[in-house]
Amino acid sequence: MSLKPKSNWELIKNGMFGENTIFRMAISLCPSIAVTNGMKNGVALGVSVVFVQTMVNFTVSLMRKFIHPKIRIPIFMLVIAGYVTIIDLLMATYARAVYKEIGLYIQIIVAFASIFARAEVFASKNKVFSSICDGFGMGVGFLLAMIVISFFRELLGKGELFGISIIAGNPLLIMILPAGGFLAVGLLMGFFNWVDMRFFGGKGASGV
Amino acid sequence: MTATDMAKITINLVVIYVIGGLIMAFVYAKTSPIMFIKAKEEKEAALKLMMPEADTINTLGAWEPHEKHAEYYAALKCGEVKINQVTDEKTGKMKEEKECLSPEDIGYIVEGYGKGYSSYIHILASVDKNFTVQKISVLAHGETPGLGDEIEKDYFLNQFEGKSADNLIVIKGETADKIEAITGATISSRAVTEDGVKNGVIMLQDKLSGEVR
């Protein structure tokens, strides 16, 4: 983390690219492999994360002066789990059709390293609006990563996009199995680091 | 660390958790009754969908696959529907009430659970009077998105029509009279077919074929 203050737009951009959860920070890799075997799943989880991450950052930042630093961890856990529980209940009651589609992913979010990390690194030390921007940027960065990974996995593994057939013939089944997830994430991570080094003068993952 | 510090930390944590607990309990109290009613309506609608030609569906009894509560039902078709004019007790107005005369069993519906790859798969299966499967549907599950969740797709579910209990076996690869497994999701396919539907149909046969109908 650099210490000079950033504008809100820089914060959002930082979350999307500079400190992209998956491709740069390499955290929350579990969902990037578990639920990226189709565009629909990837996008559903990504959108849920944008929402939860923004709300958690907002709440933690709001509470930062009341939290004793020694017990911040159980409190972050409560905030995250609380949001997930409430969203889960509200969706199961008032949006049952949507809940059937993405209810499963909402519950997965409890164990997200990226949300916890931003609460700890950013929201607990910064002003409310900056924290909302940071959370939103991080969430969108995660969403973009999920879109890119699931695009390649669904296209190569099933020959489909959003469940609509694109390529005829035998797909590479391994791409939608867990092994293909590791493969896709690894190759894409390498690719984005190469782009950063080659065109933007970055130092690669080791230099962050 | 002094006693005051310890008290501070404890109170800080307790207060925040109590507030969090109250918010969650409040949301739960507000949502759960509505959720319960909606889930019941959905179940009735799902039952109706299993046997669209039935006029009424009655609960026959309950069984416990995987120690979970599940019910089975008889689907009845009325021989004749008689419409009676009756007085509504509350409003005093005349209204029509349907009476089902000489109802006849046209089949049965069984609710079941199959142990899948990462969840118990909640299913409904309808059979005709000879215990041949008519239709099945997946009510809820937590299988892997993209692989196991294909059990909800029609190409898998449609295979069940016309199968008797003996043919409810999952085969990897093409098959003419059995059930073809979903690629990459054999465990989920087995859970639905053998653990869920087949056990349900066998249970129905055991319980109902002895009775005089």
Side-chain angles (χ1 to χ4, degrees):
Chain A
M1 285 296 296
S2 62
L3 291 171
K4 65 170 193 286
K6 286 176 175 165
S7 75
N8 291 326
W9 171 239
E10 275 173 340
L11 281 173
I12 296 178
K13 234 169 53 178
N14 174 54
M16 282 160 68
F17 306 110
E19 287 187 44
N20 186 291
T21 321
I22 310 259
F23 295 132
R24 301 310 303 266
M25 310 293 279
I27 49 177
S28 280
L29 286 175
C30 167
S32 78
I33 288 156
V35 278
T36 50
N37 43 22
M39 286 286 275
K40 205 187 81 192
N41 299 327
V43 172
L45 181 67
V47 170
S48 317
V49 167
V50 173
F51 183 73
V52 176
Q53 179 120 46
T54 311
M55 293 312 286
V56 167
N57 263 16
F58 163 72
T59 314
V60 167
S61 176
L62 206 65
M63 290 164 61
R64 71 187 188 280
K65 296 201 175 104
F66 305 102
I67 300 173
H68 195 289
K70 286 280 174 284
I71 48 156
R72 62 190 191 286
I73 290 168
I75 289 171
F76 297 161
M77 293 309 287
L78 174 78
V79 173
I80 297 169
Y83 267 111
V84 169
T85 309
I86 289 168
I87 294 167
D88 190 64
L89 284 171
L90 289 177
M91 280 182 65
T93 309
Y94 299 108
R96 291 186 73 87
V98 187
Y99 184 72
K100 281 218 170 95
E101 295 289 326
I102 66 169
L104 206 64
Y105 312 115
I106 299 283
Q107 290 161 10
I108 298 176
I109 295 178
V110 178
F112 261 43
S114 67
I115 293 178
F116 194 89
R118 291 326 282 181
E120 163 85 16
V121 172
F122 197 92
S124 62
K125 294 168 191 150
N126 286 282
K127 290 205 184 92
V128 174
F129 192 69
S130 309
S131 300
I132 292 176
C133 291
D134 177 77
F136 181 76
M138 280 288 163
V140 173
F142 180 81
L143 171 65
L144 290 176
M146 297 296 277
I147 291 174
V148 175
I149 301 167
S150 52
F151 174 84
F152 283 108
R153 288 187 67 192
E154 191 178 4
L155 190 66
L156 296 175
K158 274 190 183 166
E160 295 175 350
L161 284 177
F162 283 107
I164 301 158
S165 199
I166 304 279
I167 305 173
N170 271 347
L172 281 165
L173 185 65
I174 190 173
M175 290 309 288
I176 56 165
L177 296 172
F182 285 104
L183 217 68
V185 172
L187 289 174
L188 284 166
M189 197 183 281
F191 173 74
F192 283 115
N193 275 307
W194 176 80
V195 168
D196 184 50
M197 285 159 76
R198 180 80 175 72
F199 298 104
F200 298 97
K203 291 178 214 147
S206 57
V208 171
Chain B
M1 178 174 276
T2 64
T4 338
D5 279 339
M6 283 172 70
K8 258 187 193 167
I9 288 174
T10 314
I11 291 167
N12 191 283
L13 192 60
V14 167
V15 167
I16 289 173
Y17 264 72
V18 166
I19 295 169
L22 284 174
I23 295 171
M24 278 184 255
F26 176 77
V27 174
Y28 180 72
K30 286 283 170 201
T31 53
S32 65
I34 307 170
M35 215 189 312
F36 182 75
I37 293 167
K38 285 196 177 170
K40 206 179 154 200
E41 282 171 3
E42 274 170 18
K43 192 168 176 185
E44 278 163 14
L47 281 175
K48 188 83 197 139
L49 217 62
M50 295 304 292
M51 277 255 168
E53 64 273 28
D55 291 312
T56 43
I57 291 168
N58 294 335
T59 309
L60 282 179
W63 67 306
E64 292 197 336
H66 296 288
E67 272 108 45
K68 287 168 188 289
H69 179 81
E71 290 173 332
Y72 53 99
Y73 313 84
L76 303 170
K77 192 172 175 61
C78 301
E80 193 186 329
V81 179
K82 192 179 156 196
I83 295 169
N84 295 331
Q85 296 286 334
V86 288
T87 321
D88 194 301
E89 282 174 19
K90 281 178 192 160
T91 56
K93 285 180 189 164
M94 294 294 277
K95 65 166 189 178
E96 288 181 349
E97 203 174 78
K98 285 178 186 166
E99 194 186 346
C100 199
L101 295 177
S102 60
E104 194 192 344
D105 280 7
I106 53 168
Y108 308 98
I109 301 173
V110 61
E111 184 187 3
Y113 288 90
K115 193 173 190 300
Y117 182 70
S118 53
S119 67
Y120 285 99
I121 302 166
H122 191 184
I123 54 125
L124 278 179
S126 61
V127 295
D128 66 8
K129 286 182 81 172
N130 303 320
F131 301 102
T132 308
V133 177
Q134 299 294 300
K135 211 171 178 183
I136 76 159
S137 87
V138 175
L139 295 180
H141 72 88
E143 298 299 283
T144 319
L147 291 172
D149 71 352
E150 298 267 315
I151 52 169
E152 289 181 339
K153 298 260 172 82
D154 285 340
Y155 79 86
F156 178 68
L157 298 176
N158 288 343
Q159 298 185 77
F160 286 85
E161 196 186 333
K163 299 271 195 297
S164 64
D166 300 333
N167 283 332
L168 289 170
I169 292 166
V170 171
I171 304 281
K172 283 191 191 184
E174 284 184 27
T175 165
D177 56 347
K178 308 279 194 300
I179 305 289
E180 190 179 327
I182 296 161
T183 318
T186 314
I187 296 176
S188 306
S189 313
R190 283 228 166 90
V192 173
T193 315
E194 293 166 18
D195 205 14
V197 180
K198 191 180 186 180
N199 283 344
V201 173
I202 289 172
M203 186 279 305
L204 278 181
Q205 276 174 340
D206 288 350
K207 293 229 168 156
L208 300 176
S209 51
E211 292 174 35
V212 184
R213 291 261 157 199

